[in-house]
Every structure is written in structure tokens, then in C-alpha cells.
Amino acid sequence: MNILVTGGAGYIGSHTCVELINSGHEIVVVDNFCNSRPEAVSRVKSIAGSDFPFYEMDVRDEEQLGRVMEEHRFDCVIHFAGLKSVGESVAKPIKYYDNNIGSTIALCKAMSKHGVARFVFSSSATVYSGGNVMPLTEDAALGCINPYGWTKLMCERILTDFAAAEDWSVALLRYFNPIGAHESGLIGEDPSDIPNNLLPYISQTAIGRLDKLHVFGDDYDTVDGTGVRDYIHVVDLAKGHVAAVGYCAEHTGVEAVNLGTGRGTSVLQLVAAFERMSGVKVAYDIAPRRAGDLAICYADPSRAQRIFGWSAEKSVDDMCADAWSWQRQNPMGYRE
């Protein structure tokens, strides 16, 4: 299939581009590099051993998006492009609503005009409300506590309505906690500032870029008092997108699908796994709980297995080993 990948230079997007090419798909990538770097595109081409068209652009630019649609025939769109910092979304909500929702609407309009009817959306487990019983199924109660989460849930609503009106096939992929890197160490997660996510914070502490890790709360009702999350290897997540593309090719309608492992790992368990796989001791201290954090959050991924034939394969040790390989080879990320 011919696939437009928005945000394809980003962390999840770049890994998905590799897996799409490996699976025989043709891709065109667009990205404005607000959360990514051009070097990632070059490295994807190197890993995959394949060239592909790339456009530096904002997906909200309807005129330029239209030109891309006219120059290429697409069977499917995978939409990663979006802002993703929870903290920044609270401080700058309009920026997030404008970017994340605006880009989705622009894509829907362009796809409708050019006859593209398959859409794979990068959603998030943040669309689930905090009072649900674990593990989270796709039928769990929805509701968000920050603007970032609301942009994802609003985009899900927009895409659901568009699919009904236009007879589209839409996969709403609700990610849990992607970590790790490509086994080559050539692409990985490269936060532009202080990491928002746990494993980059751990690995940057191990490499010496940060002094120590702050563990927010050690008095939860969990195995060791620290928060438990469902961590999934980014390559497994990328393969989930390939599976979603295949599903959309054969079905119409909308499916919300969790992409997770179904297993919870605590903060300190992840630290211990990283130390085991890297051989480096990670300095940390215990800080107060953060408002809004759940004690435990993990997926029921059975729907993905049932309808996509997909399940996560890599272990937490794999995630830590690959993240360390990326960090060790690229101490300053793509900026070197």
C-alpha cells in the first residue's frame, strides 16, 4: 500500500516507517521538525535500505497538504503529527487544541477530497478516565484530566463521525507507554528538553546528562510503592501500526484498539531492569506524588490480538537494553 505518514520523523513515527518499509509498503513522510530532527529521516532510510519522498511542512497547511495528495496516490494515512507534552498542554491549551485537532481536521478534508478512506490514528491511553478497573479494555469509561488527553479524545470523536459520514476505515490506536529504541541504536527517543517520560530520564541519568532520577511517590499500593505502568517496546508498537493498516484494508468502520503488553512494571522495577541490562547504577531520589498520577495503569490488549493478530513480543529487559544502546551511541541524541 501507499501510505502517508505524518510526523514520521518523530520517535514512534520513525520506528513505524522502518516497519512499514520492511513489510513492503511505500511511504511518503511529512514532518515540520517541531518535535523531531532531520537526521532521524536519514537514519530511517539507512536502516530500511530504501529512499522515500519527504516533505518538511505543517499538516495544518491545507494548500501544501493538497499538493502532496495530488503528487501521490495514497491508500492510507497514519497520523502521528501532534504535540504531546502533558505539562505544556496545561500551560498552553490553545496551542494544543489548534495543533492536534487542526491537523486532524485538515487531513480529513484533504483525504475526503482525494478519495483516501483509511486512517490510522495515534491516540493514547490518556483518553481513559481515572476511575476504571484494571486492566483497561477499550470499553472502559473515557475522560481526561489535561488538554493533551482531550485533544486525543476529541480527535477520536471527529474521526468516528467522519468515518460514519464517508464510509471510512479508521483504527484509533490507544498507546500505553512506549519505550526502547531500534536494535541498531540508530533511532530512538530524543527529547528536546528535560524528558517527560521515564526511560529517557533514566538513560540520560546513566549517561551523565542528568544528575539523578526523581521518583514521584513511593507510598502507592503497589509491589514496591512506586507507580505501575504498561511499558511497550516502540518496535512492537510500530508493528501494531502495520497490523492496523492491514486491518483497515479489509474492513470499514471504526475500531479503538489498545496497544500495550497487558503487564505492569513499577518505576523501581524499570530502574532495576535498566541497571541490569546496562551495568550502570542509576542515582535517584524519592519525591512527592504528582497530582493526577494513578497508582496502576495497564492494558487489556486482547482486542488487538483478536482483530489485528498482533501482540507485543519484547520484554522489559529488551526495552532497557535497546534504549541504552541508543543512548550510549548517541549521548546527545540526534544533536551530535
Side-chain angles (χ1 to χ4, degrees), residues 100-101 104 119 121-128 138 142 144 149-163 170-175 254-258:
N100 293 4
I101 297 175
T104 301
F119 197 119
F121 179 59
S122 170
S123 192
S124 167
T126 57
V127 301
Y128 294 115
E138 292 82 357
L142 304 176
C144 309
W150 281 115
T151 67
K152 292 298 187 183
L153 189 53
M154 290 176 183
C155 286
E156 286 196 7
R157 182 71 258 171
I158 290 165
L159 290 167
T160 298
D161 292 340
F162 233 99
V170 176
L172 308 172
L173 304 185
R174 295 173 179 168
Y175 310 162
V254 180
E255 286 286 354
V257 182
N258 290 337

Side-chain angles (χ1 to χ4, degrees), residues 58-278:
D58 191 314
V59 179
R60 292 171 295 175
D61 185 335
E62 294 186 25
E63 183 177 344
Q64 193 168 2
L65 184 58
R67 286 198 295 269
V68 174
M69 289 280 190
E70 288 165 5
E71 291 175 11
H72 305 274
R73 182 190 65 80
F74 294 112
D75 302 300
C76 182
V77 171
I78 304 180
H79 183 32
F80 294 106
L83 302 174
K84 60 179 184 178
S85 169
V86 169
E88 185 185 43
S89 79
V90 173
K92 301 176 180 179
I94 295 302
K95 177 181 179 180
Y96 272 67
Y97 288 119
D98 178 54
N99 187 91
N100 293 4
I101 297 175
S103 62
T104 301
I105 291 174
L107 270 175
C108 287
K109 290 163 68 175
M111 290 170 63
S112 180
K113 181 178 179 180
H114 292 90
V116 185
R118 301 182 184 97
F119 197 119
V120 176
F121 179 59
S122 170
S123 192
S124 167
T126 57
V127 301
Y128 294 115
S129 67
N132 286 297
V133 175
M134 300 297 148
L136 286 167
T137 70
E138 292 82 357
D139 298 321
L142 304 176
C144 309
I145 60 172
N146 56 69
Y148 165 73
W150 281 115
T151 67
K152 292 298 187 183
L153 189 53
M154 290 176 183
C155 286
E156 286 196 7
R157 182 71 258 171
I158 290 165
L159 290 167
T160 298
D161 292 340
F162 233 99
E166 305 250 341
D167 199 28
W168 281 10
S169 178
V170 176
L172 308 172
L173 304 185
R174 295 173 179 168
Y175 310 162
F176 279 69
N177 298 78
I179 60 174
H182 192 267
E183 62 183 6
S184 67
L186 291 176
I187 57 174
E189 188 168 7
D190 182 25
S192 58
D193 202 348
I194 299 298
N196 291 307
N197 297 328
L198 177 58
L199 192 53
Y201 210 113
I202 291 172
S203 62
Q204 288 190 18
T205 301
I207 205 73
R209 286 177 60 182
L210 298 171
D211 291 335
K212 59 184 174 180
L213 168 71
H214 302 292
V215 178
F216 296 103
D218 66 347
D219 57 351
Y220 290 105
D221 185 16
T222 63
V223 63
D224 54 23
T226 63
V228 169
R229 297 293 181 269
D230 188 337
Y231 296 101
I232 177 173
H233 198 295
V234 66
V235 172
D236 278 335
L237 184 63
K239 291 178 179 178
H241 290 76
V242 177
V245 167
Y247 179 84
C248 287
E250 303 294 334
H251 301 81
T252 56
V254 180
E255 286 286 354
V257 182
N258 290 337
L259 294 184
T261 66
R263 300 182 300 274
T265 302
S266 77
V267 174
L268 292 185
Q269 285 175 331
L270 190 64
V271 169
F274 184 88
E275 290 179 338
R276 184 169 61 250
M277 301 311 295
S278 67

